[in-house]
Amino acid sequence: AAVDGEDEILRIRRELARLPREIHRYLDENHVHSAAAALISLFSMIAPRSDRYPLATALAASNGGGSDDWNYRANANNPPLLETQMKMVYLHVQTLPSRTVKLATKILHRSAAKKGGAHVTAAALSALDLLDVDRTKFDTGDDGGNAGISSITSINNNQTNRNNMNRANKLIDLYYESKAKLLNKLLNRLTLPSSISTAADAVSVTNAAERILSKIVLILQYDVILYPYMIFVLRKFPIHVDVAGKTGSGSGNGHQHTNPKTIVNKDQILHSIMSTLPPQFDGAVLQSKSSRFLAAHLPLIRTKVKTVLQIIAGTTASKLGQIRQSLYDKTDGVECMKELDGSGVCTWEEALAGMVDVRVVTHGTFASAGDGGGGGGTSGVADTHDTRSAANATPSSSSSSSSRRFSLWGALFSNTFSSLVHSLLTSSFHSVHSRVVSTLRTSLARAPPADCMLPHEAHRNALRIATDLDASLRRVSDDAHELLVHAEEREESERRLRQSLYVQTCEIMGRLLNELRRMLLVAGGTKEGRDGKKRRREFGAGDEEDEEEICTGGEDATKVLIVGRLCHLLKFRLKTLPTLLDPKSSPAVLAAGLGGGKSTGMITLLELSSSFDLADDDDDGLISFDEAMEAMESAFSGTHFHGAEMVRDTLLLTSSSSTVGGDASRGVPSGNATFGANAHNKSAPRNVTLSELALLSARGLRHDASGPESALGTVQSSLDDIVGRCFREWARAALSTPLKSFRTALQERVEVACTVSDLEWRRLNGLVEKDDALLREINESKGDQTKLKQRPMVVGQVSPYIVSYILAVSAVLNRSVCPADSLPPVPSMEYAKVLGISFRDEKEIPNMLSTIRGSLLGEAVTTLSHSLQQLILESAEDDNGGNGDQHTKLKKCSPSSLVQLLLDVKFVHRCFFERNQYGFLFTTSDFETGKTSDEESRDITEDLSKRLSIYVKSKVTDESSIISAISERHSQVFVSCDLFFSSLFGEDEDGSFTTSPSSTVMNGGSSMLSFSPSFILNPLASSRRFTLLPIQAEKSLTELQLRGKYGKKSQEEKAANIAPASGNALGSGFGFLSSMLTKTR
């Protein structure tokens, strides 16, 4: 026994000498479980033999130590050497438990996915459990103080089970608390600068964000779901052994301090770790804890990720697409799933089923899914058959839960990227709109007056704006499509993206069209385009006021011309619109394709039109913003759309702008000062049309697949309306000065015709022969007027003011077009059909030249016809207070003046309705009669011709001769002005208007045209845009010519010197003359 005692003491002393060295070696290699087990072995040898070391006693007791033999340890007679060695060893290792705990905690605060896996995590948990001094004090019974180490063997099984369960719960809480701290630390590191200055900064910031996001994904996959399932539920995990056979239970850094030939028993290692942990972990508690952890942290991660991705997206969309690809590959990618299933212990699906409660996680993600707007889509729950049905399934349904699986991609990034793409598109389209409007306003501010503007400059500016807009839309679309870089989710992502692009394009075009139309109203006053014709029909109501308004309208001719040119180019240059506004990408079609049918809460254009008509009290086709909100709210009642909010969002208004009668400066978001510039101008009415509202409500409106009620057709029709209005206003302003001169001259001519006799009229207009004055004196003295009436009727020329006005129209046309305006707007009919432009023939599609010419012809014929009607038929001095005969002026006119008026009216009719080969491009319809403006002008000229013909017939004897003479006078004008009329009315190829009829003879052989003043045109200013300058001859050519001249001269002089003597004598006698003759040869 003495020997055994001595042997035991020797063994204890050897262990006391060996264990501290092993503990230090384990700690140096981060093998916390081995270090903790060695510490427990060391303290288990010290605690029974002395009570002077409380830490050793507590740890030994907490790990199953303590017995009746410990009662004698205070009285134990230990050898002095053992006492001294125990004391020295204890003092040496008493700080190692806390060091081991810190090291194990540090391991838990790191991601284990790439640092040894579940083995490292289980070892750290085992170390923390072994070194927990309160390991056996989890009694929930009567007295916690009696749950000490007095008698471990006497504790009943229930108490043991409770202790073990409490230990397990404590370890689970400790584990997830450490992972929460780890995630929070990474999220704090994910905070990026608000602005990125250079491309290098953008790349570095993006790479750093991608690394951090990848770490977060790995933590959620391995540390939160997969490894806890292996450790706590299966109690089995893969053991990582390095090359030498040493276990990598720590960090796996590969330090070797053992024999390379050592064979490691993996089962023994697994047993050594798991035997120290609680024997059982409650799976329900573990699943609840893991699910609540995900439900609490996924929204935080998603919000942070969205903020970071928005900053990254501001630099380059391609890099954002790379991040999306990387995150998808690390969450739901094929390689990722293969790696998650490759542990050999369990599959990823098994871990999800055991660790994630879909209902808890879904509730957490849906409760914080406010950032998933716009693009539409699903939450983190993905359905294996139908995504939509899974997203809408009832959480309490067991059958539904069985078909649903948890997806980190769906929970974190799918909705985030969809919402991010929608937000990016919204901000990008807002930026595009701001740049277009800002560029247009800058161009208008810097443009010269209308009479000084060069057409090629206006074309260039408008073309640049239209081209930039098309390029910007294409870039936005391309950048958005760069996010679709993986094929696994391409169909769903592309569906969402195409829908978002469709809605955003409709909204930006609606805003832009509204801005362009309202921009014109700032210049044009309060009258709408449809009132322009009505104003011309009421010239008599306020003659001077209307003329003054027409003249002042010329100040805005520059604006309407540039805007008109821009809108005309937008019709044909926006090549991206057919792709962005593809009917198959509309929300209604996509919803129907997913099984939604027509019951998706979307309305039709007819329903929107009904609400619009109710709000349009004055039937002018315009409603204010406030009325539009009410109309939209009424139209979308019963759906999940909010009409008023839709108007505010699409028109970039604030909620304060909805107040009726609010100031025009309100309702403009501070982030878009460009669009709000018009709102700050009180002269800009805040209103919308039905077409604009149809585009702005695209997210809830079912557009037709094709035709004028499709999205593309609505854009084209709105552009047509603006183009027509712009060039009508421009033509009115451009022709205001010639019109004023025409009206003044016509009014003076009519007044003279009503107050002078026929002979005086002819004398004033140069139609009197030499003997007419003497004959009048003789006949008047005799009182015989018969001979005077028998004098032949002389037909004069077309009135100069009419020819001058038409020539002015031609001059305006010539100086308002450039060669590019004559080019066809579309290369083919297929191209036009794609753009939503429907014409039977390519020639019917008007180019810029046809547009300008048509507007000028329409304005000219309308102003001429209405002016002639007003000033000829309507009497300025009615005898009966305005209720007299309209033909008062005609009754007062002499026969010659009536013939002159008939000549002028017929000339106008022939020019615009017979010679005109182009027609009138822009015509407005009268609301009462239903006739267009050109039809009304034709009726006016025909009615005037009939009335004047009746009066002429009643006062002359040979009306047919007069009609023939009128035709000849017209032909003279067409011949002399053919150069100018050809550009305005077209070429007279068959010569039907320039061929003069044979002269008619009346009254006994005297020619009716025997006396007629020749048609003389005043010199006109050249319409050349550039002066023809002389071209200077090339310097080298001039030098060559001079050299040849001087060489010839020298040869002639030499020949003269060698001539015979006679010749010399002649040369000497007439030397000067000879030299002169030589020069002239």
Side-chain angles (χ1 to χ4, degrees):
V3 174
D4 292 338
E6 292 179 359
D7 293 339
E8 181 67 16
I9 290 174
L10 290 175
R11 184 188 66 81
I12 293 174
R13 292 187 62 187
R14 283 195 300 270
E15 292 296 320
L16 290 175
R18 180 183 63 85
L19 287 176
R21 294 194 299 270
E22 286 191 356
I23 294 172
H24 280 288
R25 183 170 69 249
Y26 290 143
L27 291 177
D28 291 340
E29 296 177 353
N30 290 335
H31 296 168
V32 290
H33 169 70
S34 300
L39 282 171
I40 296 301
S41 298
L42 179 63
F43 291 151
S44 297
M45 289 186 293
I46 295 176
R49 289 167 176 78
S50 176
D51 58 354
R52 289 180 294 181
Y53 312 110
L55 178 61
T57 303
L59 289 177
S62 64
N63 284 275
S67 63
D68 295 338
D69 295 338
W70 287 24
N71 295 328
Y72 72 86
R73 62 182 178 175
N75 302 321
N77 187 14
N78 296 323
L81 291 177
L82 180 62
E83 285 287 346
T84 303
Q85 187 176 5
M86 285 192 301
K87 181 177 180 181
M88 295 299 295
V89 169
Y90 178 79
L91 293 175
H92 178 68
V93 301
Q94 65 179 347
T95 59
L96 295 183
S98 60
R99 177 184 171 186
T100 306
V101 170
K102 291 180 179 179
L103 185 58
T105 304
K106 184 178 180 181
I107 292 175
L108 290 181
H109 286 173
R110 296 183 305 201
S111 175
K114 301 299 180 182
K115 296 183 180 297
H119 188 180
V120 177
T121 303
L125 289 172
S126 175
L128 292 175
D129 186 52
L130 287 173
L131 298 179
D132 185 8
V133 295
D134 297 329
R135 188 179 184 189
T136 58
K137 295 183 180 181
F138 294 105
D139 183 16
T140 57
D142 297 335
D143 188 3
N146 296 327
I149 59 174
S150 60
S151 180
I152 301 272
T153 57
S154 64
I155 299 177
N156 55 42
N157 292 333
N158 293 333
Q159 183 67 30
T160 301
N161 292 336
R162 286 195 298 270
N163 289 338
N164 290 334
M165 190 60 64
N166 290 332
R167 284 173 53 204
N169 294 338
K170 182 179 180 181
L171 286 176
I172 293 175
D173 292 339
L174 176 65
Y175 179 79
Y176 280 106
E177 287 176 2
S178 64
K179 299 308 174 184
K181 294 179 179 178
L182 175 59
L183 287 177
N184 291 331
K185 180 180 179 181
L186 290 176
L187 289 177
N188 292 333
R189 289 175 55 191
L190 198 58
T191 302
L192 299 178
S194 58
S195 61
I196 301 174
S197 58
T198 62
D201 295 339
V203 173
S204 61
V205 167
T206 304
N207 293 334
E210 184 177 357
R211 289 194 298 268
I212 296 175
L213 291 177
S214 300
K215 290 181 181 179
I216 292 175
V217 169
L218 291 176
I219 290 172
L220 294 176
Q221 288 174 331
Y222 290 93
D223 294 58
V224 178
I225 298 176
L226 186 61
Y227 289 166
Y229 182 73
M230 293 180 180
I231 297 172
F232 299 129
V233 178
L234 299 180
R235 303 181 67 84
K236 183 180 180 181
F237 47 83
I239 302 298
H240 295 273
V241 181
D242 55 22
V243 178
K246 186 65 181 178
T247 61
S249 58
S251 62
N253 54 12
H255 294 301
Q256 304 299 326
H257 297 282
T258 59
N259 187 354
K261 298 182 179 179
T262 303
I263 299 176
V264 179
N265 190 338
K266 295 184 179 182
D267 295 336
Q268 183 179 358
I269 295 174
L270 179 63
H271 175 73
S272 65
I273 295 176
M274 297 307 301
S275 62
T276 58
L277 294 174
Q280 184 178 3
F281 291 88
D282 191 349
V285 174
L286 181 63
Q287 186 184 59
S288 176
K289 186 70 176 180
S290 174
S291 301
R292 290 197 303 269
F293 180 90
L294 291 173
H297 287 83
L298 288 181
L300 299 177
I301 299 173
R302 185 173 56 245
T303 303
K304 194 74 172 182
V305 166
K306 182 177 180 181
T307 303
V308 173
L309 292 179
Q310 285 177 344
I311 299 175
I312 296 175
T315 59
T316 170
S318 60
K319 192 62 180 177
L320 189 64
Q322 295 176 10
I323 293 178
R324 178 182 179 130
Q325 176 66 61
S326 176
L327 294 177
Y328 185 86
D329 290 341
K330 293 175 181 178
T331 52
D332 283 3
V334 177
E335 295 296 330
C336 174
M337 292 293 104
K338 184 178 179 180
E339 185 175 353
L340 290 173
D341 295 337
S343 63
V345 178
C346 66
T347 63
W348 173 249
E349 295 295 334
E350 293 174 353
L352 288 178
M355 295 294 294
V356 179
D357 187 350
V358 176
R359 293 172 295 180
V360 175
V361 178
T362 302
H363 176 75
T365 54
F366 273 127
S368 304
D371 60 345
T378 61
S379 66
V381 180
D383 196 325
T384 57
H385 301 289
D386 188 0
T387 305
R388 291 174 58 87
S389 62
N392 298 326
T394 304
S396 60
S397 175
S398 59
S399 61
S400 174
S401 299
S402 63
S403 63
R404 302 160 74 196
R405 67 177 181 85
F406 176 77
S407 170
L408 276 179
W409 169 255
L412 284 178
F413 305 117
S414 181
N415 271 355
T416 302
F417 273 96
S418 297
S419 173
L420 179 62
V421 171
H422 181 81
S423 300
L424 288 176
L425 291 178
T426 301
S427 59
S428 299
F429 278 111
H430 288 179
S431 177
V432 170
H433 170 85
S434 300
R435 288 198 302 269
V436 170
V437 176
S438 176
T439 305
L440 178 59
R441 292 186 180 278
T442 303
S443 179
L444 294 177
R446 297 179 179 178
D451 54 349
C452 299
M453 179 183 295
L454 298 178
H456 65 275
E457 292 181 350
H459 171 76
R460 181 189 61 187
N461 291 337
L463 179 62
R464 182 170 64 89
I465 296 174
T467 304
D468 290 346
L469 175 59
D470 183 67
S472 299
L473 293 177
R474 185 182 299 108
R475 283 195 300 269
V476 171
S477 177
D478 293 343
D479 289 346
H481 278 88
E482 286 186 6
L483 300 177
L484 303 172
V485 293
H486 58 279
E488 295 86 349
E489 206 186 37
R490 177 174 295 278
E491 183 177 356
E492 175 67 16
S493 301
E494 190 171 4
R495 182 189 68 83
R496 297 179 184 176
L497 179 59
R498 286 191 292 109
Q499 174 179 330
S500 188
L501 285 173
Y502 181 93
V503 172
Q504 293 287 345
T505 305
C506 287
E507 291 178 356
I508 187 179
M509 292 307 299
R511 280 195 304 272
L512 182 59
L513 293 171
N514 179 266
E515 180 83 2
L516 293 174
R517 181 186 56 80
R518 294 169 60 236
M519 189 182 298
L520 300 177
L521 299 181
V522 178
T526 58
K527 291 191 176 182
E528 292 297 320
R530 66 180 63 184
D531 296 334
K533 182 174 67 63
K534 182 178 180 181
R535 180 182 61 191
R536 299 191 196 101
R537 293 182 62 189
E538 298 176 354
F539 274 126
D543 194 7
E544 296 180 357
E545 181 181 355
D546 289 331
E547 289 184 0
E548 182 180 357
E549 183 178 357
I550 293 176
C551 295
T552 57
E555 300 175 358
D556 303 304
T558 300
K559 175 179 291 186
V560 295
L561 178 61
I562 294 179
V563 173
R565 280 183 171 272
L566 173 62
C567 292
H568 183 269
L569 289 174
L570 291 178
K571 283 176 55 63
F572 308 105
R573 296 301 180 117
L574 295 182
K575 302 177 184 178
T576 56
L577 280 187
T579 303
L580 297 175
L581 297 182
D582 184 7
K584 297 180 181 179
S585 303
S586 64
V589 174
L590 293 178
L594 292 176
K598 293 187 178 181
S599 59
T600 56
M602 306 187 73
I603 66 173
T604 62
L605 182 60
L606 181 61
E607 296 172 339
L608 180 62
S609 178
S610 300
S611 300
F612 186 91
D613 293 338
L614 292 176
D616 188 12
D617 298 332
D618 51 0
D619 295 331
D620 61 347
L622 296 170
I623 60 176
S624 65
F625 288 170
D626 300 316
E627 293 173 342
M629 294 180 191
E630 296 177 0
M632 291 281 284
E633 200 66 37
S634 174
F636 284 98
S637 60
T639 68
H640 63 279
F641 295 101
H642 300 284
E645 293 297 330
M646 193 180 299
V647 174
R648 292 192 189 98
D649 294 342
T650 54
L651 288 177
L652 310 181
L653 306 175
T654 58
S655 57
S656 61
S657 65
S658 60
T659 306
V660 178
D663 187 69
S665 61
R666 294 180 298 172
V668 179
S670 59
N672 196 339
T674 302
F675 183 73
N678 228 8
H680 288 284
N681 192 339
K682 295 183 179 181
S683 60
R686 298 159 53 84
N687 51 31
V688 294
T689 63
L690 178 60
S691 299
E692 296 164 0
L693 209 58
L695 292 173
L696 296 174
S697 59
R699 69 183 69 173
L701 187 67
R702 287 197 295 266
H703 291 123
D704 291 348
S706 60
E709 293 186 358
S710 64
L712 191 57
T714 303
V715 172
Q716 292 290 352
S717 60
S718 299
L719 287 173
D720 286 334
D721 294 340
I722 296 177
V723 170
R725 176 190 174 88
C726 284
F727 282 100
R728 282 195 299 267
E729 296 293 335
W730 170 79
R732 184 183 309 152
L735 299 179
S736 60
T737 302
L739 176 61
K740 183 177 181 181
S741 301
F742 166 77
R743 287 175 55 82
T744 302
L746 177 60
Q747 186 174 6
E748 293 176 355
R749 179 63 65 92
V750 174
E751 291 178 355
V752 171
C754 295
T755 55
V756 301
S757 62
D758 185 71
L759 184 59
E760 182 65 18
W761 167 268
R762 288 189 292 173
R763 187 186 66 81
L764 292 174
N765 290 275
L767 302 179
V768 180
E769 296 183 2
K770 295 180 180 180
D771 59 339
D772 277 347
L774 181 60
L775 182 60
R776 186 188 66 171
E777 293 179 0
I778 297 173
N779 291 333
E780 285 181 354
S781 62
K782 294 182 177 179
D784 185 6
Q785 301 290 333
T786 57
K787 293 184 179 181
L788 185 61
K789 292 182 180 180
Q790 292 176 358
R791 297 294 299 172
M793 179 66 67
V794 180
V795 178
Q797 296 289 348
V798 179
S799 298
Y801 50 84
I802 291 183
V803 180
S804 175
Y805 182 82
I806 298 178
L807 291 177
V809 176
S810 178
V812 171
L813 172 64
N814 292 334
R815 68 169 179 260
S816 300
V817 295
C818 60
D821 296 335
S822 302
L823 299 176
V826 293
S828 62
M829 287 301 299
E830 290 75 13
Y831 180 85
K833 187 179 295 183
V834 170
L835 289 176
I837 303 172
S838 57
F839 284 95
R840 293 173 297 178
D841 188 6
E842 185 177 345
K843 296 181 179 179
E844 295 183 2
I845 302 177
N847 54 19
M848 194 72 255
L849 176 60
S850 300
T851 301
I852 294 177
R853 182 194 292 117
S855 63
L856 290 173
L857 288 174
E859 176 66 20
V861 71
T862 304
T863 53
L864 283 176
S865 58
H866 284 81
S867 298
L868 290 171
Q869 182 188 39
Q870 173 197 347
L871 297 176
I872 293 177
L873 292 183
E874 298 177 3
S875 176
E877 298 178 357
D878 292 333
D879 298 335
N880 299 325
N883 297 324
D885 188 3
Q886 279 190 335
H887 301 167
T888 303
K889 293 182 180 179
L890 295 181
K891 292 179 180 179
K892 296 179 180 180
C893 291
S894 62
S896 298
S897 61
L898 290 174
V899 172
Q900 182 65 43
L901 293 176
L902 179 61
L903 172 66
D904 295 341
V905 173
K906 284 185 173 293
F907 180 75
V908 172
H909 184 82
R910 288 195 68 186
C911 285
F912 291 95
F913 299 105
E914 295 180 14
R915 174 66 189 276
N916 181 15
Q917 301 176 9
Y918 300 113
F920 308 96
L921 189 60
F922 302 113
T923 57
T924 57
S925 300
D926 186 82
F927 182 76
E928 298 177 356
T929 62
K931 293 182 179 181
T932 60
S933 58
D934 60 318
E935 292 176 350
E936 186 177 0
S937 299
R938 178 189 290 270
D939 294 341
I940 291 175
T941 55
E942 290 179 350
D943 180 67
L944 277 175
S945 298
K946 291 179 181 179
R947 294 178 185 273
L948 290 171
S949 297
I950 294 174
Y951 279 95
V952 170
K953 185 177 181 180
S954 64
K955 294 188 178 183
V956 300
T957 57
D958 193 355
E959 182 187 5
S960 60
S961 300
I962 295 177
I963 298 301
S964 178
I966 288 176
S967 299
E968 185 170 352
R969 293 291 182 262
H970 294 170
S971 299
Q972 292 179 358
V973 179
F974 287 135
V975 170
S976 58
C977 300
D978 184 66
L979 177 64
F980 304 96
F981 285 4
S982 296
S983 62
L984 186 62
F985 300 117
E987 296 287 343
D988 185 18
E989 297 179 355
D990 55 357
S992 58
F993 294 94
T994 57
T995 302
S996 301
S998 58
S999 301
T1000 58
V1001 181
M1002 62 177 298
N1003 293 333
S1006 60
S1007 175
M1008 173 184 171
L1009 301 177
S1010 58
F1011 176 77
S1012 177
S1014 61
F1015 186 80
I1016 301 175
L1017 289 177
N1018 294 325
L1020 298 176
S1022 175
S1023 61
R1024 292 177 301 175
R1025 299 183 184 88
F1026 306 101
T1027 305
L1028 296 179
L1029 300 177
I1031 301 176
Q1032 184 179 2
E1034 192 174 350
K1035 184 177 181 180
S1036 60
L1037 180 59
T1038 305
E1039 292 178 353
L1040 290 175
Q1041 292 175 349
L1042 291 175
R1043 289 178 182 178
K1045 181 178 179 181
Y1046 293 148
K1048 184 178 180 181
K1049 179 180 179 180
S1050 61
Q1051 291 177 0
E1052 292 177 352
E1053 290 178 351
K1054 289 180 181 180
N1057 293 331
I1058 62 175
S1062 60
N1064 292 335
L1066 177 61
S1068 61
F1070 302 92
F1072 175 75
L1073 293 177
S1074 177
S1075 63
M1076 293 300 296
L1077 292 173
T1078 303
K1079 292 182 179 180
T1080 58
R1081 293 177 184 176

